Amino acid sequence: MQEPQYDVSIIVPVHNREKLIIPCIKSINAQTYDRAKWEVIFVDDGSTDKSVETIESLIDKNINYRIIKREIPSGNASAPRNEGIKASRAKYVFFLDSDDYIDEQLLENGCKIAFKNDSDIVYFKQQKNARCTTTRPYKIPIVDNADILKHHTMRSLRVFKFFSLRMLKLHNLLFNVNIDVHEDMLFGALALIYASNVSILADKDYYIPILHDNEHLSKRKQALEKIFSCYIIMLLELYLSDRQLEFKAKFFNALLIRVVEHIRDFCAKNSNYTTLNHIFINLSNLFGIKKELFDLSQIYDNEKMLALCFLSGDFESFYKISRDSNLQEPLKSLYLDLEKEFKKYNGCQNVWVYNGKIIVIDFVFKDNKIAFDLEYDKTKKELKIWMFCRNNKSFFESSKFKPLEINQHKLCIFRGDTDKTKIIKNIAKYWEIIFTQGYNA
């Protein structure tokens, strides 16, 4: 491998991002790191709009940048990212989605910690918003040498990190173009298996993910079989790796937690019982090959019983525990009624439980994600329904709705007892107004 020409390459896959890419480019232009030490590789994945022209017009010409054009779109971010890895002339690669943006000091601070520790991976704290993020790995501002167990590195497998190009090439790590669901999770986990040293930067939010409902390179319906095939690949790669037994045990148990949580969530959403049972048994058998790596003390308390059911192949008990979940009455009985009622509504995306305490109903209205949160105050024995827009905090600013109270951008539309009929009627009424008349009604 030839000597790196740059410290880091920013790799940006692009597909029809003519307008959405503007904040991304501005954040690249604003980087404080010496421009002679980094490059940007835009990989245009067959865009049919003016994405390339937008890049050319907005990118600072003092920045080392290239635009790689793919004539035939791949349909996801894997192939463009692979193109970027192969084209990189740097010590590290950093993946940035074209509709997201980064803190101006990301490159500078990232290179500082990476070179200080000869890191194979550098984690960057992401701003918590509508797209799924986790907080466990980022509780300590600076971690030079992270432990997979102590610092929960398996909890954040998204690829918005520094990856050593030497490590990727040594182990032939690329994105699997045949997997279009959780392909970034798979890549992140495989890299973690081979990383000798992992560092974490969490002194502030470095990566700001933005939620858009229009076409996204990595947006796919989550087929159960595809998701869990990723876990199978991870486990087999771990078994075949030459990592020491202590690391293998930590990775094994951290992965076990993720698998258990994922199956639990699908059970709670009333996914196909037969399909789940089939996947459960196959994954249980695969984990059972190296059951000696299992350590109950490394499993989170809430998942210990589920993990034991999983390793013993007891799907019936696992399913029952998952369906009961941690949701307390009166929300527990209300949840199933709401799920049954609203999943048939036009625009309803999901009815789910957040953190075991809040029932969430997600709708989509044009390009906006409208959510209803149901919270129960045990002390007052009072239920509140909050209505808000996830990706546009100003969505309801000019509305004629008269909320009972306002908390930042959330509107309280109901406050009272847990009568199912009243609750369904209120949510349905507000959603019908938004869906048929617009939010200014």
Side-chain angles (χ1 to χ4, degrees), residues 8-12 22-32 38 40 94-108 124-127 160-162 204-210:
V8 60
S9 299
I10 301 177
I11 297 173
V12 187
I22 295 174
C24 172
I25 298 175
K26 287 183 177 178
S27 72
I28 292 173
N29 290 343
Q31 289 303 296
T32 58
W38 54 281
V40 188
F94 172 76
F95 302 104
L96 171 59
D97 277 0
S98 57
D99 52 355
D100 298 337
Y101 61 97
I102 53 178
D103 181 82
E104 62 183 12
Q105 290 185 307
L106 184 144
L107 293 185
E108 181 177 354
F124 294 98
K125 183 184 177 184
Q126 298 176 45
Q127 185 181 85
F160 311 130
K161 307 173 174 72
F162 277 8
K204 60 178 176 177
D205 295 332
Y206 281 95
Y207 195 101
I208 296 85
I210 304 299

Side-chain angles (χ1 to χ4, degrees), residues 224 228 259-273 275-277 280 306 314-325 335-336 339:
L224 287 174
F228 291 107
V259 170
V260 164
E261 289 177 340
H262 221 148
I263 300 178
R264 177 202 63 196
D265 292 344
F266 276 112
C267 289
K269 293 176 182 177
N270 201 26
S271 297
N272 186 284
Y273 183 96
T275 302
L276 278 171
N277 188 18
F280 180 96
L306 288 172
D314 184 359
F315 180 67
E316 186 175 348
S317 297
F318 187 100
Y319 188 82
K320 184 178 184 303
I321 295 171
S322 300
R323 293 295 291 173
D324 289 344
S325 75
Y335 167 70
L336 295 177
E339 182 183 42

Side-chain angles (χ1 to χ4, degrees), residues 215-231:
E215 186 181 4
H216 196 279
L217 278 169
S218 59
K219 188 176 181 181
R220 292 290 181 275
K221 184 177 180 180
Q222 297 190 2
L224 287 174
E225 294 86 351
K226 289 184 177 182
I227 294 172
F228 291 107
S229 68
C230 292
Y231 288 130

Side-chain angles (χ1 to χ4, degrees), residues 126-290:
Q126 298 176 45
Q127 185 181 85
K128 193 173 183 179
N129 63 6
R131 277 167 68 176
C132 182
T133 55
T134 185
T135 58
R136 286 183 186 268
Y138 304 109
K139 293 182 177 180
I140 302 174
I142 305 293
V143 181
D144 290 327
N145 189 356
D147 178 81
I148 190 172
L149 177 64
K150 180 180 178 182
H151 300 103
H152 310 281
T153 54
M154 275 287 288
R155 305 305 297 176
S156 178
L157 294 178
R158 304 193 75 175
V159 296
F160 311 130
K161 307 173 174 72
F162 277 8
F163 293 93
S164 162
L165 188 61
R166 178 199 59 79
M167 177 191 70
L168 298 183
K169 291 191 174 182
L170 179 63
H171 299 286
N172 196 28
L173 294 179
L174 292 169
F175 289 85
N176 191 322
V177 296
N178 297 313
I179 296 177
D180 56 3
V181 175
H182 287 294
E183 72 285 347
D184 56 343
M185 178 185 75
L186 175 59
F187 180 89
L190 297 184
L192 195 56
I193 289 176
Y194 292 107
S196 298
N197 189 39
V198 176
S199 301
I200 300 175
L201 268 180
D203 55 320
K204 60 178 176 177
D205 295 332
Y206 281 95
Y207 195 101
I208 296 85
I210 304 299
L211 178 67
H212 296 291
D213 279 329
N214 50 344
E215 186 181 4
H216 196 279
L217 278 169
S218 59
K219 188 176 181 181
R220 292 290 181 275
K221 184 177 180 180
Q222 297 190 2
L224 287 174
E225 294 86 351
K226 289 184 177 182
I227 294 172
F228 291 107
S229 68
C230 292
Y231 288 130
I232 292 173
I233 296 172
M234 293 177 201
L235 202 55
L236 292 175
E237 192 80 20
L238 177 70
Y239 289 167
L240 294 172
S241 73
D242 59 358
R243 295 302 301 264
Q244 293 184 348
L245 186 62
E246 181 183 4
F247 175 86
K248 284 190 174 184
K250 289 180 178 180
F251 192 99
F252 178 95
N253 289 286
L255 182 60
L256 174 62
I257 293 172
R258 287 191 67 115
V259 170
V260 164
E261 289 177 340
H262 221 148
I263 300 178
R264 177 202 63 196
D265 292 344
F266 276 112
C267 289
K269 293 176 182 177
N270 201 26
S271 297
N272 186 284
Y273 183 96
T274 303
T275 302
L276 278 171
N277 188 18
H278 174 72
I279 291 171
F280 180 96
I281 296 301
N282 282 314
L283 278 171
S284 176
N285 290 337
L286 191 57
F287 272 90
I289 294 174
K290 294 288 186 180

